[in-house]
């Protein structure tokens, strides 16, 4: 999800925001902090004058392209590096550390899991990414939510 | 800082995979000694002056291999030229959108490769930039900051993108209750002051590349610059870096000085901005002490009692707890370099607006007439002093705290003496500021919604 919409060089930013100019922002996230199923999601805010249909279609197109092509080696390295570096930055904050430990332990993970986070991120391969993408983002049923303007009096 | 380095060292040990030590009975803790230790050691600041004359306040903290750099230049969006409202904002956006040989994409990719974050923003009176980097990548990260600031490309694609984003934000603010309230309040209090100027679709689209370069040369001169650095870097290494990063900026510039804001008297009735929604946003403002005023510290304590202290405050107690009229009401001392305001904000259903205003005014008058109880004063001091160290628990927060001290000229020892200032406030001090500032009729009220009885 970092590759798709995590930051400045993500696919959504480059394609939807910069090249096509159809969105002013786009994001992709994964939320795995739960005991049952996790959730992944993508979204975007359209630029002025652009319809939600256009933006949704652009998201779908970019997702399909990612499914077909996968990430470049550079992009994969950057994504892994930034997720791993976030673990170092997190050490600056007692609150962040406490939340991380607490949330992980509550869900049944171990301290070794937390300690080993950086190493596990760095060990992710392109094949891993494509396998997960195919499992969760390829043709799965998904829910779309659109925020529309209200009826004004 | 002793607390932070202790806890960070603990975290580092755990991350290294050592087993947790078995817990033992805690020893008796001398709370007062701990508190004094915590505040006096909150930020051990060294003043670092570079050979080129740039001064930084440094807290050298090697326990975590990261560095936080905050830079602020005196001058911001209030100085935008007529018709170019939004230029400073656009300039700030462009600082990390390409520099020298790296276009926007390449600059962004390089920042990610270095695991660094660099960006800029503006407020009415300040232009600010921050850098966050791993100390392992410090040399490259500082160089990216240097390049972003002084070799900015201002390319067409990112500029057009910034304008697209801004146009959407302006559209959103047309129906945002807070934005509407802000505009109405500014227009009521100081319509002719630079603080009341607004970005428009025309003004944000009008800025050219040359306009942005001009803004950078005027706003980001070295004699307007304050720097704060916290993290894994020594004074010696920092001194050299300061000239590397900031040396190519102009030494000086002519920024049009912003005048002091002279506030209009409050109108007799609230100002209403109709917006179709079931509840009304109520915003209220009156003249208040500026940061540099002697009145500020007692006013700050009094504000906690009036409405700054959340559930401990008079307004929350009367309006939410006792009457259920709002989810929340709060007050604060607001203001900037040339303006002092005391005000607050709340929301309630359209039918309850008059009742809420009446109670709020009555509570302001009551506090002014009777003053706080001894318990309220003691509790306010205990909270404000006790919570202060919590603002120093990350490198970024320490940098922010020290920048606040620098921007307001509070002095190098402020962090160590601030709690003493709070403790020294007397009941008489509070009565004096209440008398001066808390006249309920001095508050201008702005209502955004469809408040009943105000049609």
């Amino acid at each position: 999800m970092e590759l798709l919409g995590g930051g400045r060089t993500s696919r959504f930013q480059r394609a939807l925001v910069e090249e096509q100019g159809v969105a002013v922002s786009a994001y992709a996230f994964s939320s795995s902090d739960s005991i049952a199923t996790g959730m992944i999601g993508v979204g975007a805010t359209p630029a002025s004058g652009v319809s939600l249909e256009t933006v949704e279609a652009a998201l779908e197109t970019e997702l399909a392209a990612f499914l077909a092509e996968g990430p470049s080696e550079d992009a994969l390295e950057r994504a892994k590096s930034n997720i791993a570096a976030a673990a170092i930055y997190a050490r600056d904050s007692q609150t962040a550390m406490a939340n991380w430990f607490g949330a992980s332990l509550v869900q049944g993970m171990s301290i070794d899991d937390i300690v080993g986070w950086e190493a596990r991120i760095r060990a992710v391969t392109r094949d891993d990414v494509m396998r997960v993408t195919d499992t969760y983002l390829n043709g799965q049923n998904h829910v779309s939510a659109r925020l529309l303007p209200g009826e004004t009096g | 800082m002793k607390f932070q380095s202790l806890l960070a060292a603990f975290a580092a040990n755990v991350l290294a995979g050592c087993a947790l030590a078995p817990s033992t009975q805690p020893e008796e803790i001398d709370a007062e000694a701990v508190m004094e230790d915590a505040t006096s050691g909150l930020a051990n600041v060294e003043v670092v002056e570079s050979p080129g004359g740039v001064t930084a306040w440094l807290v050298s903290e090697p326990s975590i291999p990261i560095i936080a750099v905050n830079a602020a230049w005196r001058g911001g969006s209030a100085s935008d030229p007529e018709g170019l409202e939004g230029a400073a904002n656009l300039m700030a956006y462009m600082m990390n959108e390409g520099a020298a040989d790296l276009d926007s994409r390449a600059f962004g990719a390089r920042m990610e490769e270095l695991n660094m974050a660099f960006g800029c923003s503006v407020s009415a009176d300040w232009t600010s930039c921050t850098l966050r980097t791993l100390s392992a990548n410090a040399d490259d990260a500082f160089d990216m900051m240097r390049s972003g600031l002084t070799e900015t490309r201002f390319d067409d694609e990112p500029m057009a993108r910034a304008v697209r984003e801004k146009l959407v934000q302006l559209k959103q603010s047309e129906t945002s209750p807070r934005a509407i309230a802000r505009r109405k309040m500014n227009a009521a209090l100081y319509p002719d002051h630079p603080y009341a100027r607004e970005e428009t679709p025309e003004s944000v689209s009008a800025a050219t590349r040359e306009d942005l370069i001009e803004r950078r040369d005027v706003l980001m001169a070295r004699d307007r610059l304050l720097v704060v650095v916290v993290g894994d870097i020594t004074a010696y290494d920092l001194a050299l870096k300061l000239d590397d990063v900031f040396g190519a900026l102009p030494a000086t510039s002519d920024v049009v000085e912003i005048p002091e804001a002279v506030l209009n008297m409050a109108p007799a009735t609230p100002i209403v901005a109709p917006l179709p929604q079931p509840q009304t946003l109520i915003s209220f403002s009156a003249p208040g002490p500026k940061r540099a005023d002697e009145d500020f510290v007692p006013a700050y304590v009094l504000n906690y009692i009036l409405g700054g202290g959340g559930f401990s405050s008079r307004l929350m107690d009367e309006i939410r707890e006792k009457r259920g009229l709002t989810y929340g009401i709060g007050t604060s001392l607001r203001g900037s370099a040339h303006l002092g305001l005391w005000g607050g904000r709340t929301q309630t259903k359209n039918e309850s607006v008059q009742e809420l205003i009446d109670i709020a005014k009555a509570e302001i008058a009551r506090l002014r007439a009777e003053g706080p109880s001894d318990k309220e004063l003691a509790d306010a001091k205990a909270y404000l002093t006790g919570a202060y160290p919590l603002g120093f628990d990350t490198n970024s927060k320490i940098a922010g705290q020290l920048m606040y001290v620098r921007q307001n000229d509070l002095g190098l020892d402020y962090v160590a003496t601030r709690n003493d200032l709070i403790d020294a406030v007397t009941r008489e001090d509070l009565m004096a500021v209440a008398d001066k500032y808390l006249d309920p009729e001095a508050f201008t009220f702005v209502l955004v919604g469809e408040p009943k009885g105000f049609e």
Side-chain angles (χ1 to χ4, degrees), chain B residues 204-224:
Chain B
V204 302
S205 307
T208 64
R209 200 174 172 278
E210 286 62 42
D211 291 323
L212 300 192
I213 293 171
E214 188 269 348
R215 283 292 90 200
R216 184 194 54 193
D217 289 344
V218 165
L219 292 173
M220 296 172 90
R222 272 181 285 124
D223 63 354
R224 322 186 66 81

Side-chain angles (χ1 to χ4, degrees), chain B residues 303-318 329:
Chain B
N303 178 69
Y304 181 85
I305 296 166
L306 174 64
F311 285 103
S312 319
S313 74
R314 291 273 179 105
L315 290 175
M316 271 294 259
D317 198 46
E318 292 297 323
I329 178 166

